[in-house]
Each structure stands twice: as C-alpha cells, then as structure tokens.
Amino acid sequence: MDLTRATITEIAAALDAGSLASTDLVEHTLRETGRLEPEVHAFLHVRDRESLLREAKESDAARRSGGVTSPLAGIPVAIKDNICTIGTPTTAGSRILEGFQSAYDATVIEKLKAAGALILGKCNLDEFAMGSSTENSAYGPTTNPWDPARVPGGSSGGSAAAVAAGMAFTALGSDTGGSIRQPAALTGVVGLKPTYGTVSRRGLIAFGSSLDQIGPLARCVADAALVFDAIAGNDPRDATSADIATGSACDTLHDSIDTIRVGVPRQSWGEGLDAGVEASVRSALDQLGPAVAEITAIDLPLLEASIPAYYLVATAEASANLSRFDGVRYGLRDKQAGTLDEMYKRTRGHGFGTEVKRRILLGTHALSSGYYDAYYLRAMKVRRKIADDFARAFETCDVIALPATPTPAFPIGEQIDDPITMYRNDLYTIAANLAGLPAISIPCGLHDDTLPLGVQLMAPRFEESRLLRVASHWEAKLGTLGRPPRISANGGDAR
Amino acid sequence: MTFDRSNLEHVARLAMLDLSDDELDSLAKDLDHVLSHFEAIQKIDVSDIDDTDLAKTITTPLRADTPAGSLSNEEATKQSARAEGGLFVVPKVIG
C-alpha cells in the first residue's frame, strides 16, 4: 500500500485485516517528515517518536482486543497550530505565543483522541490565521509541494502541504474566510469548512469569532466526511455551538444525486479570474452535468462586496479577540517596560507581525467612534444582504458551485506587500463564512499541467451531508489529478 | 476620506500597539489604500436592513447553573512570564 496516497478507508481496512499496524503509520509519517520537511516546512512541531510509537502500540493492542470502532483509530492527524493541544506548543504562528503550552485540549482534539486518532504535530499557518499564503508565519513560510517557489495558500497552508506531500493522512485547519478551502485548492487536496456552529470552537485561538470554523483537509471527500463526523456535534462549552443533530455525513455519501439542482453564480466569471482556472471549472461542471438534475445560472450580486464586508467584520472581531495578548497571563512579555500601559504596547508591538498589526489597526478603526456606522455597522448590513442572497438562491438550487480561487498558487513574495491583491484571493470563499454556510473545495485539474486547482461547492446551513454527497460524486467524475506533487514524485530533493 | 499618519497614531493608541516610525509611515499608507478600496461598500443600498435585524438570528444558549471543574490556580498562572503566589505580577499601576 502506498501510504503517501492511501485513503483512511483503505488504511482502516488494512489495520483491521492486520496487514498494517498503527506503528507502520507513525514510522511512515516520521520518515516522510524527516525527508520532506527541510523543503516544505509544513510543521512547526512534530511530536517525539517515542510518544507516538507508544500510542500507536496501544492503538494496535486495542484493535487486537476488539476495542476499536472508529476508522480514525491509530491514524496520525496533523493539527493547525492555532488549535490548543496539551503536551505540544501552540503558537498560532506568532512570536507573541512562542513556547506557549495550552493547559487543555480543544474540543476537536478531545474528540479526535476519543476516536483513537493520534496527534502527529502542529502545522504552520499565517500568524493568527491572518493570510492567504502562510508567508505571514513568524516561523517562516511553508512551500507548495507542487512547486517550492510558490505558496501553498493559507492560512492553513501547513495542514494543506502536509496532506498534499503525503506526510499526513489528514489534518485539521480553520477557515475564517477561506483558510481551509483556498490552500486545499492550491495544493490539490480536499478542504471542508463546516456550517458555523457545527464544530466546536472551544480551544481554537479566536480570530473572527462569528466566522471561524474548524474543518478537515483530506486526501479525498470520504476522508473529509470521516473526520467531520468525528469532530462535529454540540459543545456546551462553546456558546455559539449549534444544538442540531446533522447525522452522519458518511452514511449518505454514496446516495444518488440525480435530483440535485446545481446553481452557478453568474458573478463567478468576473474580472480577476484566471483563464486557466475558468476553463478547468467549466470543464468540471460539464462532467458533473449528467449526474445531477440540472445546472443553472444563479445570482449572487454582492460577491465582490463580500471582500470589504468580510475584511471590516473580521478585523473588527480580531481587534477585540487579540486584545487578550497583553503579556500578562501567557506568551511574550516585554520586560523593559516601566508601566503597565508601556508593557502592553511594547509586548504587542514586538510580538505581533506586520499583517496582524495591519488587521488589528483596521478593525480598531472600523469600530472607533465616528467610523463605526460607516464601516462596521454597514459591513454587517452588507453581510446580512449576502446571507439573504444565498437564501434566495437556495430556493432554486440545492448546492452552489463556483471556483475555489481566482488563480493557481502564486510565487512566494509576489503579493506579500500588497494587501488588496492578497485579500482578493478570498473572493470566492468568504461569502460562505459571512453567511455561515458549509463549503468544500475539491481538486478539479492542473493549471498548465503543473499546478493544482480546486472547484468549490456550498450548501444551505447544516446540509453537510448533501454537500459531501455531491462532492463525493463529483470527485469520482473528475478522477485524480493524474500524478502526485513534484516533491512526492521526486522523492523530495531536501536541501 | 484619506487615512494619514495622525489617524494611525490615534488608532494605535486605542489598540495598545507600539509602532516604529517606519511602521507608522508604511501602515498609514497601507490602511489608506485598503480603506479607499473598501469605499465600495458605501455605495450599497442597505436601507432595507434595520440595525436590529442583525441580532435576530442570534440566540444565547442557557445551561443549568451547577458548579463544574475548571483550571487550577497553578495551571492558570503557569504560562505567565511572571506569577507569584498564584497571582499575575505586572508593573506598578499606581505610583
């Protein structure tokens, strides 16, 4: 079995049959991370071999005694480093949290552990999940396994690259404006952002609390569904957690989609969409067509306006959320300061990177006296109108299909000093966050036969089962990307 | 409107952020550029959305008011750069 490409379903079957052991999976991931990490830098921390092997042996023993029920049992999972985990650092990619050790596991980690999964390590990200390229990490960028000169997308770029390069079997990311789906698209993996409130945010370091959602990055739709089923569910310790039973997405994955009506926003084909991306998405839609009831054009007239609405709302929330990083209770503290105010200012001035400062300042301005109505309140009203547009669209269609990104992966350094160009990478993804909808990106082809592209599906709130069912059928129609990323194909020319 | 260095100095004070001279210049330029792009939302008609509409979908879940466990004092102060006797120590606030 090729463990760099095998699905969790295949691996779980081999584990059950006894032809593979969890210890083999640990050995594989440690060998691959050792070989590929010098070039990819997907991880900020990989747990020690001894602990991982001990847990794997325990998992194998449990399986032999019939004590294993979840397909995730014994599978090492990579975790974005803004999700709190006991026993490893949790840095959120920021200097201000360098060396921070969480006193508790996030609810998603508790759930993964309850399912028997092993926590492999912590993945690189844009600082506090603010970015679309993983270049904003205080610990250096992650590279794209398809082309080391290019970004893997962001902010869950480490999680995406770890899965794409075959180092991780699956990974958790977080998605505030596209941070799971965009890197999934740019690295050729599957990325699911669940409905807001479906997966607990307890233990996720908050960026935009009304937008953030944890979800899986995976090798295939079925793997994403397995991880989603394991981490979803009401959490009384998250006040925004929805108390709605969505049922197992895995159970209905292969049900027919022949009654599904697919809506494609006319606004998808606007300015800024790369011609190669458009061709790939249109071709993918052609392949989906025969399997569904109909594909029709719909309108999302405020798609373009979702960018300013999002960046005003998200930064306003971030400015409040990041006020907790003041040097008092955890993280970096400036020790030269003579007064408390000076300590706050100097700690934050030294601890935060440029993009985080930019967003805190933008959000503070949007909330400040004299500007609140013009920026934050207006952005919230536009957000409501966008949600209303989706509600209207879903009266005539069951899912919405559109590109995941306007372009393929771009070169490292190309957009880092141009915030507006960088923010436009989120054009097709942020509306789902503003409306709280579930959305998924699946690979749909290679741009110029070199770089992966993604196509995206959105569904009404709490309709993950429908979303994943359509995605699974579509994935089967599209087939694989045809070949592995360069780094896997070459065996990793680690420098 | 334009967003200049004096606007930024005011916002940086509100945000408790120490910025270098170079940062004040470059971030003022960045934010001016970003905000001028974001002016587009001023043109969208939002007269049909009432301020109170925004809170309509939000509900606050309630739970039984029963005592439950939490972090110990030691665990809660363990990550602080300076803690003594179970308390966070900070520079003097009152002279």
Side-chain angles (χ1 to χ4, degrees), chain B residues 9-47:
Chain B
E9 283 169 340
H10 170 67
V11 175
R13 266 194 303 278
L14 294 176
M16 288 281 182
L17 269 179
D18 208 9
L19 300 177
S20 69
D21 229 33
D22 286 350
E23 283 180 315
L24 282 167
D25 282 336
S26 65
L27 287 167
K29 254 182 239 159
D30 286 350
L31 290 201
D32 184 50
H33 182 55
V34 168
L35 287 168
S36 70
H37 270 81
F38 288 4
E39 282 303 308
I41 68 160
Q42 306 302 340
K43 295 188 190 119
I44 296 168
D45 179 13
V46 293
S47 58

Side-chain angles (χ1 to χ4, degrees), chain A residues 334 336-349, chain B residues 16 18 91:
Chain A
D334 183 285
Q336 308 302 316
T339 68
L340 187 62
D341 272 8
E342 224 176 272
M343 188 188 87
Y344 292 152
K345 289 178 184 169
R346 289 170 61 102
T347 297
R348 291 161 61 78
Chain B
M16 288 281 182
D18 208 9

Side-chain angles (χ1 to χ4, degrees), chain B residues 13 33 37 47 55 58 61 63 69 74 82 86 93-95:
Chain B
R13 266 194 303 278
H33 182 55
H37 270 81
S47 58
I58 301 166
R63 61 167 169 77
E74 191 194 351
R82 199 169 159 210
V93 180
I94 301 167

Side-chain angles (χ1 to χ4, degrees), chain A residues 245-334:
Chain A
T246 49
S248 163
C250 292
D251 287 353
T252 56
L253 211 52
H254 303 296
D255 290 0
S256 170
I257 58 168
D258 60 7
T259 60
I260 293 287
R261 300 162 301 165
V262 180
V264 179
R266 291 186 178 86
Q267 293 75 13
S268 300
W269 316 116
E271 194 188 336
L273 178 64
D274 176 276
V277 177
E278 177 168 347
S280 180
V281 172
R282 286 190 186 277
S283 161
L285 285 165
D286 288 344
Q287 292 176 72
L288 178 65
V292 294
E294 62 177 27
I295 297 182
T296 52
I298 59 158
D299 277 305
L300 291 176
L302 294 176
L303 193 68
E304 183 72 33
S306 64
I307 294 179
Y310 168 81
Y311 275 96
L312 290 166
V313 172
T315 58
E317 294 185 13
S319 73
N321 276 325
L322 270 61
S323 65
R324 74 193 58 180
F325 299 103
D326 56 10
V328 176
R329 290 153 298 166
Y330 33 68
L332 183 76
R333 177 187 291 201
D334 183 285

Side-chain angles (χ1 to χ4, degrees), chain A residues 101 239 305 308 311 328-330 333 343 345-346 348-349 357-358 361 374-375 378 380-381 384-385, chain B residues 1 11 15-16 18 23 30 38-39 41-42 44-45 48-49 51 53-54 61 79-80 88-91:
Chain A
Q101 298 265 348
Y311 275 96
V328 176
R329 290 153 298 166
Y330 33 68
R333 177 187 291 201
M343 188 188 87
K345 289 178 184 169
R346 289 170 61 102
R348 291 161 61 78
K357 287 178 186 170
R358 203 181 272 141
L361 293 162
Y375 290 124
R378 178 165 278 270
M380 284 298 283
K381 289 181 176 179
R384 167 51 67 92
K385 287 178 81 85
Chain B
M1 67 158 282
V11 175
M16 288 281 182
D18 208 9
E23 283 180 315
D30 286 350
F38 288 4
E39 282 303 308
I41 68 160
Q42 306 302 340
I44 296 168
D45 179 13
D48 54 330
I49 310 285
D51 288 12
D53 286 347
L54 300 175
Q79 293 294 315
S80 177
F88 299 113
V89 180
V90 297

Side-chain angles (χ1 to χ4, degrees), chain A residues 153-290:
Chain A
S155 64
S156 310
S159 299
V163 175
M167 290 186 275
F169 303 100
T170 186
L172 290 187
S174 68
D175 190 314
T176 307
S179 281
I180 290 174
R181 291 160 287 156
Q182 187 252 16
L186 300 190
T187 59
V189 303
V190 171
L192 169 69
K193 182 204 90 75
T195 305
Y196 181 76
T198 306
V199 176
S200 171
R201 293 185 299 112
R202 175 180 164 276
L204 171 67
I205 294 175
F207 161 16
S209 300
S210 75
L211 303 154
D212 298 338
Q213 193 63 188
I214 296 171
L217 293 106
R219 294 177 179 180
C220 65
V221 174
D223 285 3
L226 279 171
V227 178
F228 171 72
D229 279 354
I231 62 173
N234 180 243
D235 180 5
R237 295 169 297 181
D238 170 2
T240 57
S241 173
D243 195 5
I244 292 174
T246 49
S248 163
C250 292
D251 287 353
T252 56
L253 211 52
H254 303 296
D255 290 0
S256 170
I257 58 168
D258 60 7
T259 60
I260 293 287
R261 300 162 301 165
V262 180
V264 179
R266 291 186 178 86
Q267 293 75 13
S268 300
W269 316 116
E271 194 188 336
L273 178 64
D274 176 276
V277 177
E278 177 168 347
S280 180
V281 172
R282 286 190 186 277
S283 161
L285 285 165
D286 288 344
Q287 292 176 72
L288 178 65

Side-chain angles (χ1 to χ4, degrees), chain A residues 104-116 202 235 237:
Chain A
Y104 67 98
D105 273 335
T107 296
V108 290
I109 302 299
E110 290 178 351
K111 282 175 171 271
L112 284 179
K113 286 181 175 176
R202 175 180 164 276
D235 180 5
R237 295 169 297 181

